[in-house]
Amino acid sequence: MAEESKQKGADVATTDIYNVEAAEILANEAQHLPILEAAPIYEKLLSTFPTAAKYWKQYVEAYMNANNDEATKQIFSRCLLNCLHISLWLCYIHFIKKVNEKKGAEGLEETRKAFDFMLSYVGSDIASGPVWMDYITFLKSMLATTAQEESHRMTSVRKVYQKAIVTPTHHVEQLWKDYENFENSVSRALAKGLLSEYHPKFNSARAVYKERKKYMDEIDWNMLAVPPSGTCKEEQQCMAWKRLLAFEEGNPQRIDASSANRRVIFTFEQSLMYLYHYPDIWYDYATWHAKSGSVDSAVKVFQRALKALPDSELLKYAYAELEESQGAIQPAKKIYESLVANDASTMSLAHIQFIRFLRRTEGIEAARKYFLDAQKSPTCTYHLFVAYAMVAFCLDKDSKVAHSVFEAGLKRFMHEPRYILEYADFLCRLNDDRNVRALFERALSSLPPENSVEVWKRFSQFEQTYGDLASMLKVEQRKKEALSRMAEDGSSELESTLYDVVSRYSFMDLWPCSSKDLDHLARQEVLLWLAKNINKKVDKSSLTNGANIVAAEKGSFGLITNSKVGPPSTKLVYPDISQMVIYDPRQAQGLEIPAVLSSTTTSSVALVGSGNTTAVEEILKVVSPALVAFIAHLPAIEGPSPDVDMVLSILLQSTAPTGQLGKPTTQQIPAGPAPSTSDLSGSSRTRLNPNGSSRLPREGHSGKRKDLDRKEDDESITVQSRPLPRDVFRLRQLRRSRGVSSSQTGSVVSGGSAFSGEQSVSAD
C-alpha cells in the first residue's frame, strides 16, 4: 500500500510539479525510508519548494538521526537564511548543542554564538519565546569560577532578558515574570529602578503582541509556496501577509529605526517563504529597501527575485529602472538585452523599451541604429514603427523622420487598422488634413469591410472636425454603403436615422437632445430591429448587428456613450454557448419541469386548450395570467438568455392586463395550442414559478414608494406565501436600476400584477 501511495505521488508530481497533495505523499513516504533512498525524494521536493521549512526539517533530521554531521551542516547552510521558521531554527540549535556538548569551554562559546546568530534572524518571531528562554537557561548554566566571571554572566543574562521582554511574543508575560524574579534575586535595590524603567516597554510590547497576533492568526503557516492560480484561499493569504507587512512597516511599538527595519525585513523574508512566486511581494520588498536608503539591498532582492521568477518581465523592467535611476547604465543595459533575447512573443515590447532606454542614456543616434536593426526582424510588428516614430516626433522634435518611419511601416502593415489609425493621429497632430484623407482612402480601398469598421468610424470623426457639411455627409453615406455589405438586409443599413444626427452634432459629453429623447431613440431602434428579425431565425451575425445599436450606446435606458453607431469590430470574440447548461432553481428543489410538446411559435405563447390536458394543468399551476401575457410578447430567439435591453424594451411596450389595487387579477387565458418547449423550457426567456400566483400580499394599502422599494429590494419577497420568480424579480430590479418611472413607461408586468396596479411605482 505504501509503495502504491509513493508511486501515485510520483506520477502526479511528474505531471504537475506544484501539486501539493502529491508533495505531501512523497514527503510522508520519505520519512519511512533510509536516508540514502529518501535523499533523492527530498532533493526533488526542495527543488520545487525551496522555502518549505517542514521539508527541510524532515531532510536534516534524517541526516541527524543517521549521525551524519557533515551532511547536516551542508543542509543547514542551504536552508537557514531562506527559511526563517522557528521550528527549523530550533532544530539547528539542538544540533549545535549536540555537536559541542563534549568540547568544554570552547563548545559552550560556540553554542553561545549560535544562539546569538539564531536570535539575530528569528528573535523577532512571535513564536520565539522558547528560544529566548532556552538561551537564558543556557547562560545561567554556564559556570563562573571568579567574581568577575559571575558578574559578566549576570550582565549577559540581564541583557538577554531586556531584549526578550520588549519583543512581542507569545511568552512575553512569562518572560517579564522571570525577569522580575531574576532582578529581585540579584539586588532588590537595583531591581526597583530597572523594573520601573522597563515596565512601560514591556507594556508596549504586550499591547503590540495582541495586535500582531490578530494578523498572525489569519496566516496559514502550513501553506506551500506555489505559483498564484487565483483561488480564494491564495488571495486571502496574500492579503493577510500584506496587512501584516503594513502593520510592521508602521512601527506600532515606536522602537528605534534600526530595530523596526529588522522586523520589517524579517516579516518580508517570512512572507516569501509562502509567497515565493508572487512578483508583487518581491517588488514591494525591493522598493521598501530603496525607500529606506539601502539601494544595494534592493538590488540584491531583485537579483533573488529573478532567480525565483526568471520569466517575470515586470521584475526585469523594475530592476532595470532601479539601476538606471541610480546611474548604473551598464547593469540596466544588460537587463534590457536579456529582455530582447527573450522569446518572440514579447520581442516587440522589449525592442520598444530598449529604444527608449537607448534614447535616454546614449542619445538619438544609438536609438536610430538599434531601430534600423530591429525592424529587419521577421517577428517585428507595427508597434515598433509607431513607437520609434513617436520617439522621433516627441523627443527628437523631428516630424520628417517620424513621417518617413510611418510611411515605411505602411508598406508592411497596410492590413493593420490600428496602424492606420495611429498614422492618422500623427498626421492630424501635424494638421495635415490632405494627407489624412489620402491615408484613409488608401487604407479603405485595401481593407476588407469586416476590418474597416474602426477606420470608417475615425474617418467620419475626422470629417466632422476638419471637413464641411458636404464632405461629412458624403463620408457618412459611403460608410453606410460599405458596412451594409456585412448585413443581411443591406438596404436597411442605408437608411438615415436620427441617430446619425446625434452622432454628428454631439461633442464630448454634450448632446443635442435630452436624456429622455436618447432613451426613446434607443428603444425605437431596438423595436425596429426586433420587427425586422422577429419572424426569422436569428443567427449570430444578425444578433450582433442588432445588439450593436444598443451596445454602442450603453443600452436603451442609458445615455449614449459612443456617438458613432456602426457594426462592431469583427475582432470581438463571442463565447461559445452551444454547450451551456441552463440553470433552473426548480431542479435544485427536486421539482421536475413538465415536458410539453408543441409547435414552434414566433411572437406569441398560447396555452394548450385541448389534447395534452395534463401538461396544460401543470403549466397553469405555475404560470400566472399576467406572466403569460408578458411571455407572449417575447420573440422566439435561440440561446440560453436574452439581451436584457431587448426584454426591457418589450416589457415597456407591453399591454398586458393589470390587476386592481389589493385585488388579484382574474382574467382568463383562452385555450390554444401548447407552448413551445423553447419558450417554457430551460432555454426560455424566463423561468416559471412552480408555485404560481398573481399578486403580492400587503400589510396595508399604503402606496408610498419607500415601502414599495423595501419590498422590491428584499429577495425573499413572496407571492401569496410563495417565492416570486427570480427572473421577474431581476427584471424589476433592472428596470429600477435604469431609472425608468411608471409615468414614462406605463404598465410593467411582473409576477402577476402590473407595476401600474398593485405594485406600481408612484410618482411620489
Side-chain angles (χ1 to χ4, degrees):
M1 183 68 182
E3 192 65 29
E4 292 178 1
S5 178
K6 177 183 175 183
Q7 185 62 38
K8 177 184 176 183
D11 292 342
V12 176
T14 302
T15 57
D16 180 10
I17 63 172
Y18 292 108
N19 188 294
V20 175
E21 180 183 356
E24 293 293 337
I25 293 173
L26 290 175
N28 290 334
E29 289 301 322
Q31 283 185 300
H32 301 91
L33 295 174
I35 185 58
L36 294 179
E37 296 180 25
I41 298 176
Y42 283 123
E43 290 292 342
K44 183 178 180 181
L45 285 172
L46 292 169
S47 65
T48 305
F49 304 102
T51 59
K54 59 181 179 180
Y55 294 158
W56 283 111
K57 184 172 180 288
Q58 288 181 21
Y59 193 14
V60 77
E61 284 178 341
Y63 274 115
M64 288 172 64
N65 294 333
N67 295 318
N68 191 335
D69 292 346
E70 284 301 319
T72 302
K73 290 179 182 178
Q74 290 180 3
I75 295 173
F76 275 130
S77 66
R78 291 168 57 190
C79 67
L80 278 180
L81 300 184
N82 293 326
C83 297
L84 303 184
H85 197 282
I86 201 70
S87 62
L88 180 63
W89 281 82
L90 284 172
C91 186
Y92 161 73
I93 204 66
H94 292 158
F95 170 73
I96 294 298
K97 286 182 179 179
K98 177 184 174 183
V99 170
N100 294 301
E101 64 182 352
K102 296 181 180 180
K103 293 183 179 180
E106 182 183 352
L108 291 176
E109 182 63 20
E110 289 295 325
T111 303
R112 188 189 65 78
K113 290 180 180 179
F115 267 115
D116 288 337
F117 173 71
M118 177 180 179
L119 289 171
S120 68
Y121 279 93
V122 296
S124 299
D125 195 299
I126 197 172
S128 64
V131 180
W132 290 101
M133 292 179 174
D134 196 11
Y135 189 20
I136 291 168
T137 302
F138 169 77
L139 291 175
K140 288 180 177 180
S141 67
M142 295 181 69
L143 295 177
T145 57
T146 65
Q148 184 178 1
E149 289 180 353
E150 177 66 17
S151 175
H152 178 72
R153 183 172 67 88
M154 287 300 173
T155 301
S156 298
V157 172
R158 179 176 290 112
K159 287 182 179 179
V160 175
Y161 264 126
Q162 289 172 351
K163 289 180 180 179
I165 60 176
V166 297
T167 304
T169 65
H170 296 310
H171 297 77
V172 65
E173 293 191 15
Q174 182 61 46
L175 284 164
W176 173 254
K177 293 177 181 177
D178 293 345
Y179 178 54
E180 282 184 316
N181 294 333
F182 168 75
E183 291 292 0
N184 287 320
S185 67
V186 175
S187 171
R188 287 187 175 274
L190 181 62
K192 185 176 181 180
L194 289 173
L195 293 177
S196 62
E197 177 186 351
Y198 276 89
H199 193 266
K201 298 179 181 179
F202 156 70
N203 286 335
S204 176
R206 182 173 57 180
V208 170
Y209 159 71
K210 293 178 180 179
E211 290 298 316
R212 194 185 200 188
K213 187 175 183 297
K214 295 177 183 178
Y215 294 102
M216 292 287 191
D217 289 344
E218 297 178 356
I219 294 172
D220 180 4
W221 298 95
N222 293 315
M223 189 177 80
L224 291 176
V226 298
S229 59
T231 64
C232 182
K233 181 181 178 180
E234 289 176 353
E235 295 299 323
Q236 288 175 348
Q237 287 299 300
C238 183
M239 293 308 299
W241 276 109
K242 289 187 176 182
R243 285 192 290 269
L244 177 60
L245 286 166
F247 173 75
E248 295 293 356
E249 288 178 28
N251 190 9
Q253 201 171 339
R254 300 297 182 265
I255 54 180
D256 61 279
S258 177
S259 300
N261 287 345
R262 283 197 297 271
R263 285 193 187 177
V264 174
I265 291 171
F266 170 76
T267 309
F268 266 116
E269 292 290 347
Q270 273 201 325
S271 69
L272 289 172
M273 292 172 56
Y274 305 93
L275 307 177
Y276 187 70
H277 299 278
Y278 286 68
D280 51 330
I281 301 298
W282 287 105
Y283 177 77
D284 292 344
Y285 190 13
T287 303
W288 177 83
H289 270 303
K291 289 181 178 178
S292 301
S294 181
V295 177
D296 292 340
S297 298
V299 169
K300 291 178 181 178
V301 170
F302 271 125
Q303 291 172 348
R304 289 173 55 195
L306 292 178
K307 288 181 180 178
L309 303 169
D311 297 327
S312 176
E313 295 175 50
L314 278 174
L315 289 177
K316 289 181 180 179
Y317 284 122
Y319 182 21
E321 185 179 83
L322 175 67
E323 294 283 22
E324 185 182 353
S325 67
Q326 298 301 315
I329 303 303
Q330 290 305 313
K333 188 173 182 179
K334 289 181 179 179
I335 298 171
Y336 279 110
E337 288 172 347
S338 69
L339 281 163
V340 170
N342 205 348
D343 58 354
S345 62
T346 60
M347 189 172 291
S348 289
L349 180 59
H351 282 314
I352 291 168
Q353 298 303 334
F354 195 19
I355 286 173
R356 292 177 174 176
F357 169 78
L358 291 173
R359 174 63 181 80
R360 291 193 301 266
T361 58
E362 298 182 17
I364 298 172
E365 190 59 30
R368 185 188 67 83
K369 183 178 179 181
Y370 185 80
F371 166 73
L372 293 176
D373 292 336
Q375 58 94 22
K376 297 176 183 177
S377 172
T379 59
C380 173
T381 64
Y382 70 88
H383 306 84
L384 182 64
F385 284 82
V386 174
Y388 183 68
M390 289 296 100
V391 167
F393 180 62
C394 299
L395 298 180
D396 303 340
K397 313 300 181 185
D398 194 336
S399 59
K400 292 183 179 179
V401 172
H403 193 280
S404 299
V405 172
F406 270 119
E407 278 296 320
L410 193 62
K411 297 175 183 177
R412 295 174 59 176
F413 305 110
M414 179 67 81
H415 61 283
E416 290 286 352
R418 290 291 302 275
Y419 185 77
I420 303 300
L421 299 180
E422 291 292 339
Y423 191 6
D425 285 344
F426 165 72
L427 292 175
C428 287
R429 294 172 74 172
L430 296 179
N431 209 24
D432 190 356
D433 58 309
R434 180 178 178 182
N435 279 327
V436 174
R437 289 189 177 91
L439 174 64
F440 280 131
E441 295 294 350
R442 289 168 63 189
L444 292 170
S445 64
S446 60
L447 286 173
E450 60 272 13
N451 291 343
S452 64
V453 175
E454 291 299 321
V455 179
W456 275 115
K457 180 180 175 182
R458 189 67 63 85
F459 194 8
S460 178
Q461 292 174 344
F462 169 78
E463 289 296 346
Q464 291 177 23
T465 304
Y466 289 85
D468 54 21
L469 182 59
S471 62
M472 188 192 315
L473 296 176
K474 183 178 179 181
V475 170
E476 285 283 349
Q477 186 61 27
R478 288 177 59 195
K479 180 179 74 172
K480 288 177 176 291
E481 292 174 356
L483 301 183
S484 64
R485 300 169 194 152
M486 293 192 300
E488 290 184 5
D489 185 9
S491 60
S492 63
E493 299 293 329
L494 299 177
E495 298 176 2
S496 296
T497 66
L498 200 55
Y499 261 123
D500 299 326
V501 179
V502 172
S503 67
R504 287 196 293 269
Y505 291 95
S506 60
F507 181 76
M508 297 178 67
D509 59 344
L510 303 177
W511 307 94
C513 55
S514 65
S515 59
K516 287 184 178 180
D517 292 335
L518 290 174
D519 288 343
H520 172 73
L521 287 174
R523 288 194 295 272
Q524 293 304 313
E525 291 290 340
V526 171
L527 293 174
L528 285 173
W529 181 85
L530 289 174
K532 295 173 184 175
N533 294 277
I534 201 168
N535 291 321
K536 63 183 178 182
K537 184 177 180 179
V538 182
D539 59 14
K540 185 184 293 185
S541 63
S542 60
L543 275 172
T544 299
N545 292 334
N548 176 66
I549 298 173
V550 177
E553 284 92 10
K554 195 186 174 183
S556 57
F557 301 103
L559 292 180
I560 299 176
T561 58
N562 185 352
S563 60
K564 305 299 181 286
V565 180
S569 172
T570 55
K571 290 187 178 181
L572 291 177
V573 179
Y574 294 90
D576 180 12
I577 60 175
S578 59
Q579 304 299 322
M580 188 177 290
V581 178
I582 308 304
Y583 168 75
D584 193 298
R586 288 169 290 174
Q587 296 175 354
Q589 299 172 3
L591 300 175
E592 296 185 0
I593 305 172
V596 183
L597 299 176
S598 63
S599 58
T600 303
T601 60
T602 56
S603 61
S604 64
V605 177
L607 294 178
V608 178
S610 60
N612 197 352
T613 57
T614 303
V616 173
E617 292 174 357
E618 292 296 328
I619 294 173
L620 290 176
K621 289 179 181 179
V622 299
V623 180
S624 62
L627 186 57
V628 172
F630 164 65
I631 296 174
H633 290 78
L634 294 176
I637 295 179
E638 295 181 353
S641 61
D643 185 283
V644 173
D645 291 312
M646 296 181 190
V647 175
L648 291 174
S649 298
I650 297 168
L651 186 61
L652 294 173
Q653 301 295 328
S654 174
T655 57
T658 62
Q660 297 296 322
L661 185 63
K663 298 178 181 180
T665 303
T666 58
Q667 178 180 351
Q668 299 296 323
I669 304 300
S676 65
T677 55
S678 65
D679 292 325
L680 293 178
S681 68
S683 61
S684 64
R685 286 290 184 172
T686 183
R687 303 181 187 92
L688 307 180
N689 182 5
N691 299 312
S693 186
S694 60
R695 73 181 177 92
L696 297 172
R698 297 176 64 117
E699 296 178 358
H701 295 285
S702 173
K704 291 190 176 181
R705 181 165 186 162
K706 62 182 181 180
D707 295 330
L708 174 61
D709 288 348
R710 185 163 55 250
K711 290 183 179 181
E712 290 181 350
D713 286 339
D714 187 3
E715 287 195 14
S716 63
I717 193 167
T718 58
V719 181
Q720 289 186 353
S721 301
R722 299 185 180 111
L724 185 69
R726 183 176 294 273
D727 280 292
V728 176
F729 174 76
R730 290 178 62 193
L731 287 171
R732 176 180 295 172
Q733 293 292 85
L734 282 168
R735 174 181 175 275
R736 291 182 58 230
S737 68
R738 296 288 186 175
V740 182
S741 66
S742 59
S743 62
Q744 292 174 297
T745 60
S747 301
V748 182
V749 179
S750 179
S753 63
F755 282 134
S756 60
E758 183 184 38
Q759 295 294 321
S760 62
V761 181
S762 60
D764 57 0

